[in-house]
Amino acid sequence: MPIATERTEPVEQGHSTAQREQAQRRAQEAGLAAARLTAEGVRTVALTWVDVAGLTRVKVVPTTRLAQVAAHGVGMSPVFDVYLVDDSVTSSPYIGGPDGDLRLIPDLDRLTVLAAQPGWAWAPVDRFEQSGQPYDACQRQFARRMTERAAERGIELRMGFETEWIVDPPLAGPAYGMARVVERSAYVGDVVAALEAQGIEVLQIHPEYTPGQFEVSVAPADPVGAADLAVLVRETIRAVSLQHGLTPWFGPVVDPEGVGNGGHVHFSLWQDGRNLCRGGDGPCGMTPTSEAFLAGILDALPALLAIGAPTPASYLRLAPSRWAGAFQCWGPENREAALRFVPGPPGAEGAANAEVKSFDPAANPYLVTGSLIAAGLAGLDAGLRLPEPVSGDPVNADGARRLPASLPEALSRFTESAELREALGDRLFEAIVSVRQAETKLFDGHSPQEIAEATRGRY
Ligand code: GLU
Ligand code: MG
């Protein structure tokens, strides 16, 4: 396996005075944080990022090294961006092979003591070149760049991921059934308690359709923050599940014949503290900005599936009549539409939002938030309008096209998208193409059951 040898000391040549000063400031801040963590008994800090295949990768450092790591980063090979779901490795025009190293720099603003892993803390990282320059294929910085692009247009995004998962062994209680909560009330309570202890605002948690399936939603955040939360929420659920003797499955499908796990994303647009999904004279009371943004996303959905439904297993889930959003259409409170508009209750101006239902938990959440913004802004630039909304089952509706039913189909739409290529940059764009092609090949000729079994426990 081509993993680069890690340097123990950072390369200082080429670093500007400004970069060195920034590193010093980070070290100071991290030193204070480390002292606080040590006093709380935290010995180890998990530093995570999410690769192109959608797997969360980690480097762990002792708390005593946090200041040094905040200043100079910890090393990791760029090759992980061409890893597949089974840890085999492909290559892309810009990434591959054993050479090179990147520095992972923790975002100290997100440093969190982990409630379900005593003695541990966590922080997401941004990835940098050894020269100190931002790495242009860093998924988290891509999400931040797109957030800044929206901000340049005066638009602030609030986003939130729903997390669905299925526990093994499954539970006897019915879908949405109180019996399932009673069966595992200590577990469900511990999931909520751990999330809240980490400062996460839990909106709701409930048993979902498939035996042993649950869903939790948390309060919206800025796009990078929402993606960070998606990672933290999942790893917290994983830790609590294992404590309770349950294996959590976050793959898109566990049983290809049944309802799978969605990774639905909610978003709303804001300007000067006002929710642009409300108070306009567009469809469902949207403002023109909000309508064009949604229209951009709806238009780009076939291509966006290469980001949001990134693996062959995704297409075992993305089927009609499973509330998975298999049709390219939108509708108010339509749970079969790929884009569901949620008007929110009267008087709750902040609650109106839109939800992309077609995406699943195999998606890299940073790529998801960033590319949704890129597609929405392209809609704004083109002055797109939404088509007529669809009510009822889209299978019967005129103009509601089926979204790509396979990864190669989605990928061919993705490769045609000049907007997404420009937004992601060539290096990241090509890595996505290569990983999707390689995962298609990996599962070629495998039965749905084999694909489900090979992927359900990987994410
Ligand atoms: N589990 C469904 C999915 O695959 C979603 C059900 C729901 O609407 O929450 O997306
Ligand atoms: Mg759900």
Side-chain angles (χ1 to χ4, degrees), residues 162-164 176 206-209 213-216 259-264 323 335 340 355 357:
E162 294 177 6
T163 302
E164 292 189 348
Y176 306 90
H206 63 273
E208 265 282 349
Y209 194 82
Q213 191 175 37
F214 291 98
E215 169 182 326
V216 67
V259 171
N261 288 322
H264 306 179
W323 290 8
R335 286 183 168 77
R340 166 186 171 217
E355 177 191 33
K357 292 186 78 76

Side-chain angles (χ1 to χ4, degrees), residues 104-165:
L104 313 184
I105 309 251
D107 184 340
L108 298 170
D109 292 340
R110 305 269 194 243
L111 191 61
T112 304
V113 176
L114 294 177
Q117 287 171 258
W120 284 76
W122 162 88
V125 303
D126 289 309
R127 296 187 298 157
F128 290 82
E129 305 266 12
Q130 286 184 316
S131 66
Q133 292 301 313
Y135 180 50
D136 60 11
C138 172
Q139 295 86 349
R140 193 168 184 266
Q141 291 180 80
F142 161 66
R144 189 177 300 120
R145 272 201 314 277
M146 293 305 114
T147 307
E148 285 164 1
R149 268 194 199 179
E152 283 159 18
R153 315 281 289 270
I155 299 167
E156 188 197 326
L157 273 304
R158 293 195 191 158
M159 294 184 151
F161 286 84
E162 294 177 6
T163 302
E164 292 189 348
W165 75 103

Side-chain angles (χ1 to χ4, degrees), residues 50-54 139 161 307 310 360-369 436:
V50 185
D51 69 15
V52 166
Q139 295 86 349
F161 286 84
I307 302 284
D360 67 58
N364 177 316
Y366 303 97
L367 294 181
V368 165
T369 56
R436 304 297 178 258

